[in-house]
Structure formats: structure tokens, C-alpha cells
């Protein structure tokens, strides 16, 4: 049968590991995209924590405009987070960078952004 790009998201972690091992054993090319999807699936909970941390930091300051400005800032951060993930993914799928690095880079970048915001929050 054929592989689809959504296979990884439908499988459990042990099934994904077996699936990737089967692809490696068969000698098929194009294993980078499933690897990126697997690493993305592993790092997704960390991404939720990072985005939540950024949201808490943004909501801790009073802003002119009220809650709608805070909501807009939060949605903007999430939008840029998703764009960053989708822009870096093709570089890992093409083999230009390591799939683990391609999956982890947006998380690391936004983690450092959250640390910067945390440092700037009025005490």
C-alpha cells in the first residue's frame, strides 16, 4: 500500500517508531518528512507550554485597549509560531538540515523569546 503524510499523526509513539524502522529497513527514500513529523509530535507538548508561558507573560501586563489587545497579541504569537514551524519543516524534509533540528528549532527560538519576555516583565 502507499504512505501518506498524515500517517505519523494517527499512530501511537511505539507504532511510529516501528513504522520509521520499517521504512529504514526497506531502504525507501524520503524518510526525513516522517521523522520531522514524529519529532514534531514529540515536541508538541513542549510547544504548548512555551506558547502558554508567552500568553501568561503577555497577559500579566496591563495594556491600553484591554483584553482584546492581549487576545490579539496571543493570536499573533501563535500565528508566527505556526508559520515558523511550517517554514522550517521543508528544509528538514529536503535533507538540508537534520530532521530533529528542523522540528526543534521553532520550539527553541520561541522558548528564548519567552525568556526574553519574562526578563522584560515588570517586577
Amino acid at each position: 500500500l502507499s504512505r501518506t503524510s498524515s500517517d505519523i499523526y494517527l499512530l501511537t509513539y511505539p507504532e511510529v517508531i516501528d513504522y520509521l524502522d520499517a521504512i529504514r529497513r526497506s531502504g525507501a527514500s524520503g524518510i526525513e518528512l516522517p521523522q520531522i513529523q514524529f519529532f514534531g509530535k514529540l515536541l508538541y507538548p513542549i510547544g504548548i507550554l512555551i506558547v502558554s508561558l508567552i500568553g501568561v507573560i503577555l497577559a500579566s501586563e496591563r495594556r491600553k485597549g484591554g483584553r482584546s489587545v492581549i487576545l490579539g497579541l496571543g493570536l499573533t504569537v501563535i500565528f508566527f509560531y505556526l508559520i515558523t514551524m511550517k517554514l522550517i519543516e521543508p528544509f528538514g524534509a529536503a535533507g538540508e538540515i537534520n530532521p530533529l533540528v528542523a522540528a526543534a528549532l521553532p520550539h527553541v527560538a520561541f522558548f528564548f523569546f519567552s525568556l526574553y519576555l519574562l526578563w522584560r516583565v515588570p517586577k
Side-chain angles (χ1 to χ4, degrees):
L1 302 177
S2 67
R3 292 184 292 168
T4 64
S5 63
S6 64
D7 286 341
I8 301 301
Y9 300 114
L10 301 175
L11 301 174
T12 63
Y13 292 117
E15 290 173 340
V16 172
I17 292 169
D18 292 340
Y19 176 71
L20 290 173
D21 287 340
I23 293 173
R24 277 190 206 101
R25 282 192 307 260
S26 71
S29 63
I31 192 171
E32 291 85 6
L33 183 60
Q35 282 180 327
I36 291 172
Q37 291 172 345
F38 173 60
F39 293 135
K41 184 176 179 172
L42 280 175
L43 295 172
Y44 188 73
I46 295 169
I48 291 172
L49 292 174
I50 292 169
V51 171
S52 298
L53 177 64
I54 292 172
V56 167
I57 292 168
L58 291 176
S60 68
E61 281 187 58
R62 293 213 178 252
R63 299 194 189 289
K64 189 175 182 180
R67 292 184 185 161
S68 60
V69 171
I70 294 170
L71 181 64
L73 282 172
L75 289 175
T76 303
V77 167
I78 291 170
F79 178 72
F80 280 114
Y81 189 69
L82 291 173
I83 283 180
T84 305
M85 286 194 313
K86 292 302 174 185
L87 285 176
I88 293 177
E89 187 176 280
F91 291 109
E96 294 180 19
I97 58 177
N98 187 344
L100 178 59
V101 173
L105 192 61
H107 302 290
V108 170
F110 275 82
F111 175 71
F112 284 118
F113 178 65
S114 70
L115 290 179
Y116 170 74
L117 288 177
L118 189 62
W119 179 68
R120 298 263 340 250
V121 164
K123 311 276 182 285

